[in-house]
Amino acid sequence: MSLPLPQTVKGDSASERLRTLGLELPVLAGNAYYVHHRAVGSSIHISGQLPYKDGELLGQGVVGRDVELETAKDLARHAALNCLAAAVGAVGDLDRVRIVQMLVFVASTSDFGLQSQVANAASELLIEVLGENGRHARTAIGVAGLPLNTPVEIQMICTAV
């Protein structure tokens, strides 16, 4: 059985595709304890990003108990968008970002089991915006809790193209 693949949104550049989706890269707040990205050789490691928008955490709780699947998917898209902002901070231009690996943490009940569907929403956004540069290796993990009681946190490894 073959699954349909997410499609790249129409547009000449990743920035145009992002605008077509009605999105823009956020400005990430600084932190005294960590940096949003660190380059090691040709790899760019993106710190775990939470689903913040305009400085506000968009959700709290545990998926499968307090948070519905569709809400968790939306939160994953916001966290992925924040990862893209960190990647652009490292390479300077959205069209130069290639996602290598994504790690998605989902605070969920022990019987939830749909962490990969939450992660799919973030993967879909990356492919819609970056096309082939958005396809990546991925792991989705259910955890007991995350910082600030957020339902989703995403960490990435990228490279510049």
Side-chain angles (χ1 to χ4, degrees), residues 19 31 44 64 110 114:
R19 281 192 297 276
N31 190 296
I44 301 154
S110 62
L114 299 175

Side-chain angles (χ1 to χ4, degrees), residues 68-122:
E68 297 294 324
L69 175 61
E70 290 305 313
T71 301
K73 290 165 81 172
D74 188 49
L75 295 172
R77 288 175 68 88
H78 280 283
L81 188 64
N82 290 337
C83 287
L84 284 177
V88 168
V91 304
D93 186 324
L94 191 57
D95 286 305
R96 296 191 61 223
V97 174
R98 175 180 289 150
I99 310 303
V100 175
Q101 183 179 30
M102 180 170 67
L103 178 56
V104 180
F105 299 96
V106 181
S108 53
T109 60
S110 62
D111 63 343
F112 177 66
L114 299 175
Q115 291 84 1
S116 63
Q117 287 189 27
V118 175
N120 285 349

